[in-house]
Each structure stands twice: as structure tokens, then as C-alpha cells.
Amino acid sequence: MIDSLPADDAALALAYAHPLAEGRPYVRANMISSLDGSSTAAGRSGGLGGDGDRRVFAALRAAADVVLVGAATVRDEDYGTPAHPALAIVTRGSIPRTERLYPAGGAEPIVYSGNGGSVDLRSVLDDLYTRGHRRILAEGGPGVLGALLAAGLVDELCLTVAPVLVGGDGARIVRGPDLPLGHWQRGPVLGDDEGFLYTRWAR
Ligand SMILES: NC(=O)c1ccc[n+]([C@@H]2O[C@H](COP(=O)([O-])OP(=O)(O)OC[C@H]3O[C@@H](n4cnc5c(N)ncnc54)[C@H](OP(=O)(O)O)[C@@H]3O)[C@@H](O)[C@H]2O)c1
């Protein structure tokens, strides 16, 4: 028997309260996958989501200090910079100064650019921590998540499993080097009437 995703927003917030780590940032990743392991439907993760997933997405953001995301996801998912939490983007190039990302009078993203090369993600986390961001929500995409995992920098994975089969050749939720096959600890598993599963896994 799987418990239901709380219908009440306060209870949902409590269920997804963001843990803290001592002396370092706590990194929580949030991803969605289809039943056949795709991270996208028609090229976007948003194509997989439902109402419950959008509520979990919002609850995770509300509980975080900063969202960390790769520039490709920013482009493909048309990210904007929210008032909360802060938005941190990694890129090997630059981020266009669009109204979505640099709203007039609004918050601006924190951009980590390797200026042609890669930035060291551990240094990025250290810098975010120095800025006071202790709760870090990594929203992907698969490339950034793979790099964070390869460096042992992810504490927890929140994985929504969408009750759909999409076929095609969409990427899995992690891309990059082989990872050590250590078992992750299963956390609470919730579900909703639409058939979505909301799973949590700790390192
Ligand atoms: N299912 C899900 O939950 C989910 C979540 C997020 C995204 N997605 C999907 O995933 C796709 C995008 O994912 P992706 O894996 O292709 O890309 P990504 O991980 O979002 O971003 C990769 C980009 O981030 C930058 N980057 C990554 N590591 C870097 C480093 N160490 N230093 C500097 N820059 C770095 C580079 O940007 P530049 O190219 O600017 O140099 C790189 O091209 C989209 O289709 C999106 O819809 C799915």
C-alpha cells in the first residue's frame, strides 16, 4: 500500500522539508522519468509531468535556497529566474540576457561559466554555500546530474515516475561516466490517483 501525496500544501511542504548537512551544502536532485526510462516526452521533461508532479516541483523549490541547473535545460525548458529560490546555471559559454532570465527589477541568475571549458562543480557548490545557500536543489539535466553524481556530490534523489511509455530515444535521467553500483537507500514513496509515483532515494 502506497501513501497518497498529501492533498494539503502544508503537509506536502512538511513531507518535503529540505534536510541540512553540517558544514557543507546538502544537495537534493529532482527528476522525472517515464516508465521506459526517458527523461523527456517530445523533448521536454514537462511533457511527462502531471498536477502532482508540479506540486512536488513547487514544494521542493519552496524548501530550497537555490536551484542548480545546466544551461541546456534552461534553454530547452525555457527557464525563468524565480523570486525564490535563487537560480544558479552552469555553462561553458554564456547565458543570454533574456527577459525570462533577467526580469526587469527582479532576481538575476548566478552564472558559473567555464569560458569554453568545464567549471568544477564542487567549487560551484562551495561558492553557493559561501553565499549562504545550504539547501541546493539540482534540477538536471541528465548531463549535470551525471557530473554531480560522478563527483559524489548528490545526497538525495527525488524521482517522479510518470505512468507513461514514451518510446523514442530520449535520454535517461543521468548521462556521463559509469557510476559505482552502491545501493541507494529508499525513502518515502508516495503516489497519486493519476498513477504517478513520487520516490526518494538517499546516498
Ligand atoms: N526528466 C527530468 O527530470 C529532466 C530534468 C531536467 C532536464 N531534462 C531534459 O534534459 C535535457 C537537457 O539535459 P542535458 O543533459 O542535455 O543538459 P543539461 O545537463 O541541462 O546541461 C548541460 C549543459 O550545462 C552546461 N554544463 C554542464 N556541466 C558543466 C560544467 N561542468 N561546466 C560548465 N558548464 C557545464 C553546458 O552548457 P553550455 O552548452 O551552455 O556550455 C552543457 O551543455 C532537456 O531535454 C531537458 O528537457 C529532463
Side-chain angles (χ1 to χ4, degrees):
M1 188 63 188
I2 293 169
D3 287 336
S4 293
L5 194 71
D8 173 62
D9 284 343
L12 186 66
L14 202 59
Y16 281 96
H18 199 124
L20 287 168
E22 196 56 46
R24 66 174 182 83
Y26 184 97
V27 179
R28 180 185 248 182
N30 181 33
M31 301 294 284
I32 186 168
S33 169
S34 67
L35 292 177
D36 51 340
S38 178
S39 63
T40 57
R44 293 174 64 137
S45 61
L48 293 171
D51 288 346
D53 180 64
R54 282 185 280 276
R55 289 184 63 229
V56 169
F57 183 91
L60 289 171
R61 280 196 166 196
D65 297 321
V66 62
V67 164
L68 173 64
V69 70
T73 294
V74 170
R75 292 190 287 266
D76 293 354
E77 306 275 348
D78 191 26
Y79 264 48
T81 304
H84 174 89
L87 178 67
I89 305 171
V90 289
T91 177
R92 297 185 179 90
S94 59
I95 299 299
R97 290 192 70 86
T98 60
E99 174 66 22
R100 297 265 306 141
L101 289 169
Y102 292 86
E108 296 196 351
I110 307 165
V111 177
Y112 295 97
S113 172
N115 296 311
S118 295
V119 293
D120 177 57
L121 294 175
R122 190 180 297 273
S123 303
V124 167
L125 296 183
D126 287 347
D127 184 70
L128 289 172
Y129 188 73
T130 303
R131 292 168 184 255
H133 299 315
R134 302 183 64 189
R135 292 168 283 225
I136 301 194
L137 180 62
E139 289 186 345
V144 168
L145 183 56
L148 286 168
L149 287 164
L153 296 172
V154 178
D155 293 291
E156 182 185 0
L157 170 65
C158 298
L159 175 63
T160 297
V161 181
V164 293
L165 293 160
V166 300
D169 56 4
R172 293 177 292 125
I173 63 163
V174 176
R175 192 182 64 240
D178 289 348
L179 299 172
L181 286 185
H183 281 200
W184 286 59
Q185 305 291 319
R186 189 179 64 229
V189 175
L190 302 172
D192 66 18
D193 292 345
E194 291 183 78
F196 285 78
L197 279 182
Y198 305 95
T199 73
R200 290 164 67 174
W201 306 88
R203 183 154 57 107

